[in-house]
Amino acid sequence: NSVGVEIKLAVTDPTLKRLFETCQLTTHQRKTVAHEVAVSSGGRERVLKVLASPVISKDDLLLGTVYVFDDITREKEIDRMKSDFVSLVSHELRTPLTAIQLGVSLVLDGKAGPINEKQRSSLEKVDRQVKRLTDLINDLLDLSRIESGRIQMKREPISLVDIAVSRLEEMKPQADSKGVKLDLEVEGEIPMTVGDEARIGQVITNLLSNALKFTPQGGQVKVRLSRQGDMILTEVIDTGPGIPEEERERIFDKFYQLSDFKTRSQGGSGLGLSIAKGIVEAHGGRIWVESEVGVGSNFKFLLPIISPEEIDEQDTGRG
Ligand code: ADP
């Protein structure tokens, strides 16, 4: 029992000092917090993962903090190489695919001479699979760009209400043909914020297309917007099969699809939610899902409210 023994560490090294300051716990934080920090030592850039865990006394006082340092420079490098590789390969695959797609539609349109029903039906299958492959490659390219930070998110004034309205409109025909009700619910006043309109739209479209994909005929899909303090909450609620608790985090991983045969047979690449997560996090937000199996799912994401007047200030501040 070491109560009464006080050890003080005088940190003079500026790098270390900055590290401790960045990762310091505040008195009301009562759980382990992880940070990734870039430091340069001996002329080399290193990335450290720092875990800061509070040491709490029996009477709930914060006695101190235990720091664990993990050098993840190599992992980061490998991650980047993987991203670069995927991005290069997907880029290279796109060109021949475009040629295949053009060729197939040329023959299908009868421009290379008449085709019979059997040939048409085969070619239509090829056409569908080529489209699927193109979507997959575009998703891969998107994801590797987002992961490597090579996509610069625009900083423009955006209205989540406008984005939701236009994305819902786009999905309406699909919902109608499936016999699923599609609604928008706006609670109170939703302020403008700052972000990338097309990318945030992509998040809503991804969530909506999943919701429609998994909701059976006669079901309902709803987008709800509300203000939560200094954040805007967007919810995409469906009456589909729901997601078991143990899978709720993993569905945001790359290529992850529920093992259930029913969801696998719906197609898709398993990349949509990772892309959505990448975009939301690049905006300083958070995305997660709440769900009850057999009742439905509620995909939620929070975005910070940034006043459009701050755009210039922050942009120049970033250098
Ligand atoms: P994709 O839809 O292309 O398979 P996603 O990353 O968008 O990839 O989704 C990953 C998986 O999460 C899906 O394959 C599905 O199993 C599950 N999922 C996503 N959205 C829903 C939903 N609204 N209801 C039920 N399951 C879902």
Side-chain angles (χ1 to χ4, degrees), residues 139 206-207 210-215 238 240-243 251-253 256-259 263-264 267-274 297 299:
D139 278 357
N206 278 354
L207 296 180
N210 275 346
L212 281 179
K213 192 156 75 176
F214 294 108
T215 301
D238 67 48
I243 296 154
I251 53 168
F252 292 95
D253 290 349
Y256 194 78
Q257 296 184 308
L258 296 194
S259 36
T263 72
R264 216 162 248 295
S269 59
L271 289 175
L273 288 177
S274 340
S297 309
F299 282 83

Side-chain angles (χ1 to χ4, degrees), residues 59-77:
D59 36 1
D60 204 34
L61 288 173
L62 182 67
L63 295 179
T65 309
V66 175
Y67 295 93
V68 178
F69 295 84
D70 194 1
D71 185 344
I72 55 164
T73 315
R74 183 88 188 117
E75 282 91 329
K76 281 274 161 190
E77 246 167 51

Side-chain angles (χ1 to χ4, degrees), residues 18 37-47 71 73 77:
R18 186 171 61 84
V37 276
V39 292
S40 62
S41 76
R44 284 188 64 190
E45 276 287 323
R46 311 227 125 252
V47 186
D71 185 344
T73 315
E77 246 167 51

Side-chain angles (χ1 to χ4, degrees), residues 8-65:
K8 273 224 169 109
L9 186 67
V11 183
T12 48
D13 182 273
T15 310
L16 264 182
K17 196 160 180 236
R18 186 171 61 84
L19 243 172
F20 281 120
E21 276 165 9
T22 321
C23 305
Q24 206 161 43
L25 294 172
T26 55
T27 40
H28 49 268
Q29 273 173 318
R30 284 289 190 266
K31 54 179 192 198
T32 303
V33 181
H35 284 275
E36 270 180 26
V37 276
V39 292
S40 62
S41 76
R44 284 188 64 190
E45 276 287 323
R46 311 227 125 252
V47 186
L48 297 182
K49 182 170 168 188
V50 186
L51 289 176
S53 302
V55 182
I56 296 157
S57 71
K58 271 198 208 110
D59 36 1
D60 204 34
L61 288 173
L62 182 67
L63 295 179
T65 309

